[in-house]
Amino acid sequence: MAGCEDVENEWSRIENTIRSSLRHLRDRYLWSSRHQTERRRPLEVQTEPAEVAPLQRLPVEVQLSIMALLPPRDLCRLGCVNHYWNTMVRDPLLWRYFLLRDLPHWNSVDHLSLPDAALLSKSLTDSTGQDYMTAYLKSSPESRKHWKLIHPVYSSMTSFFYSLVSPTEPRFAMFGPGLEQLDSSLVTEMMNSPRLLPLASLPQRQIDGIGSGISFVFNNENRFNILTLYSTTWKERESARLEENEVVNKMFVQQSAAGDQAEVQSATPQEAGCSIIPQVQQVCRVVNGFIYVANAEARRRHERGQERLQIRAMIDPALGSPSRPLLVLCCTSQPGVPRIPCVYVSHQLQLNQLDRPWLAQDTDAQSLGGFLEGMEWILQQAGRL
């Protein structure tokens, strides 16, 4: 309850600050407009008040409530009505409020839209030099979707070029603690959801003892293959999951000479000596992209520093093309479980420091919610859609 009260007090303080700012902005604008109008009018009519639209006469609280109910697209349209509303809808405190209010509810964010952490950590009244409106419109999934419709990628041209060569089934390496720590198994649900994700084929060959992965069908026509990489044996994973303990990940080898855990977590893979076992290295060389399943449940403590090292070790350019995409599934066991928003997971994993396309997508293992959206993105990035 104390946490809820703190959040409510914070939003109340933000709203009061915005109202004060908008009231000051409106009074200054209206005074300037009346003054300029009176200077242009003849002397005999200077005593008449300047015309103001009825909507502009409303109290600032009512104007704020109206603007807060509008989606970004309509709010931008409101700014096109006249100079007054153009000025009002650009208020940085208003868009900072929108950004902090909405980003926990966004179900995806990518390498082009992740808002800078500095925008979220500044004090409430410090909005100098920050364009929160641009940051919001760049980051909002609704705005990103609208932007893609207006500026489509040359997907038809890409599909044409791929039609000239023999099609290959793209392969993706899937790994991460979300495969092992959740109460519902993402892989099990994938294999038992024929309506959402039909199976195409089961493993028949081996890649250095790991297996060839499972093939699925996307949209009833596009096949893709997922090689699931677990950290250890099933018995060890299940025991650690029930006891909520960390297991020793046998896919990676820590070779830090100093032995300082803090240094290991903050260093690069090369500095920390984080390497991959030979079998997994072979997998990394043959895949078309990577799928990292992060545990996004808020109730659990997460070792994000170690996770960052493991992600960077897997996508090491020495093991393949640096342009291969990374899909991060911010996964919970089932819908309704308190989660860490994908924007925060992206900053915790420092995805903004990666030099390749990436997408963080909210997902739950039980219903596969968000999974197909993530697969659509990575297949597009791999040139298969």
Side-chain angles (χ1 to χ4, degrees):
M1 290 297 294
C4 295
E5 292 177 358
D6 292 341
V7 171
E8 291 178 359
N9 292 336
E10 177 67 11
W11 289 135
S12 177
R13 192 163 63 91
I14 291 175
E15 289 183 354
N16 290 334
T17 304
I18 293 173
R19 288 168 182 165
S20 176
S21 173
L22 290 177
R23 188 179 292 109
H24 174 73
L25 176 64
R26 186 182 70 169
D27 292 344
R28 183 180 60 185
Y29 172 79
L30 292 179
W31 182 89
S32 176
S33 298
R34 287 195 296 267
H35 181 67
Q36 293 178 7
T37 303
E38 290 172 359
R39 289 179 59 186
R40 291 195 299 266
R41 287 170 180 261
L43 293 176
E44 61 272 14
V45 296
Q46 281 190 5
T47 57
E48 296 181 5
E51 284 191 18
V52 179
L55 190 59
Q56 295 175 208
R57 295 180 182 274
L58 294 175
V60 169
E61 289 79 2
V62 178
Q63 294 184 8
L64 173 63
S65 298
I66 292 174
M67 289 189 289
L69 292 173
L70 295 176
R73 190 185 309 176
D74 292 342
L75 194 62
C76 293
R77 288 172 178 171
L78 176 63
C80 298
V81 172
N82 56 33
H83 182 62
Y84 171 80
W85 287 110
N86 184 273
T87 305
M88 293 291 281
V89 302
R90 291 180 179 276
D91 184 78
L93 276 174
L94 178 66
W95 286 95
R96 174 174 167 78
Y97 167 69
F98 289 155
L99 189 64
L100 294 177
R101 180 196 67 183
D102 294 346
L103 67 86
H105 306 289
W106 292 341
N107 59 8
S108 68
V109 65
D110 62 15
H111 60 292
L112 300 176
S113 62
L114 179 67
D116 193 340
L119 293 175
L120 311 179
S121 60
K122 283 184 173 293
S123 63
L124 177 63
T125 56
D126 184 8
S127 59
T128 56
Q130 303 294 338
D131 191 349
Y132 289 99
M133 180 179 178
T134 299
Y136 184 98
L137 297 178
K138 177 183 176 183
S139 306
S140 167
E142 180 184 356
S143 301
R144 284 157 41 203
K145 181 179 180 181
H146 182 64
W147 181 261
K148 288 180 180 179
L149 293 176
I150 298 177
H151 300 85
V153 182
Y154 298 104
S155 56
S156 59
M157 185 64 70
T158 304
S159 300
F160 170 73
F161 283 126
Y162 273 101
S163 68
L164 299 179
V165 298
S166 58
T168 58
E169 184 177 294
R171 285 193 272 191
F172 304 106
M174 176 184 283
F175 66 107
L179 291 174
E180 308 173 8
Q181 297 173 353
L182 302 179
D183 295 333
S184 298
S185 169
L186 178 64
V187 175
T188 300
E189 295 298 334
M190 288 166 54
M191 296 181 63
N192 291 279
S193 302
R195 293 185 179 181
L196 291 177
L197 202 64
L199 282 174
S201 64
L202 294 175
Q204 296 180 352
R205 58 190 186 282
Q206 297 286 314
I207 298 179
D208 280 359
I210 290 182
S212 61
I214 303 172
S215 294
F216 299 90
V217 181
F218 182 80
N219 284 349
N220 296 320
E221 57 178 335
N222 300 99
R223 291 168 56 112
F224 65 91
N225 184 282
I226 289 184
L227 295 100
T228 306
L229 305 175
Y230 292 107
S231 63
T232 184
T233 65
W234 179 88
K235 185 175 181 179
E236 292 172 324
R237 296 197 308 268
E238 187 65 12
S239 175
R241 185 186 67 82
L242 295 176
E243 299 174 5
E244 294 192 357
N245 293 328
E246 297 292 333
V247 297
V248 177
N249 196 320
K250 298 180 180 179
M251 289 170 47
F252 302 93
V253 180
Q254 297 287 350
Q255 299 174 342
S256 176
D260 188 338
Q261 185 65 18
E263 290 183 3
V264 170
Q265 291 187 358
S266 62
T268 64
Q270 293 76 14
E271 292 170 344
C274 180
S275 60
I276 309 174
I277 61 175
Q279 296 94 323
V280 178
Q281 289 185 18
Q282 181 63 21
V283 171
C284 293
R285 291 189 177 98
V286 301
V287 296
N288 302 94
F290 302 89
I291 302 174
Y292 184 76
V293 186
N295 186 340
E297 293 188 348
R299 66 179 180 86
R300 188 183 178 96
R301 181 175 174 270
H302 306 285
E303 297 293 338
R304 300 300 191 201
Q306 192 66 25
E307 292 181 48
R308 292 195 295 266
L309 288 179
Q310 294 172 0
I311 291 174
R312 285 162 175 75
M314 288 287 291
I315 64 175
D316 188 346
L319 299 176
S321 170
S323 63
R324 292 178 295 175
L326 169 68
L327 170 62
V328 177
L329 298 176
C330 305
C331 200
T332 60
S333 298
Q334 56 192 9
V337 173
R339 66 162 57 247
I340 303 173
C342 60
V343 174
Y344 298 148
V345 174
S346 300
H347 281 299
Q348 292 170 0
L349 295 177
Q350 298 179 356
L351 299 180
N352 58 316
Q353 297 182 10
L354 302 182
D355 57 351
R356 68 183 61 226
W358 60 265
L359 173 78
Q361 173 73 49
D362 282 345
T363 312
D364 72 87
Q366 188 178 78
S367 70
L368 297 182
F371 179 78
L372 294 183
E373 289 83 349
M375 289 309 306
E376 180 179 15
W377 175 86
I378 198 171
L379 286 169
Q380 288 176 341
Q381 293 294 321
R384 297 304 192 270
L385 284 184

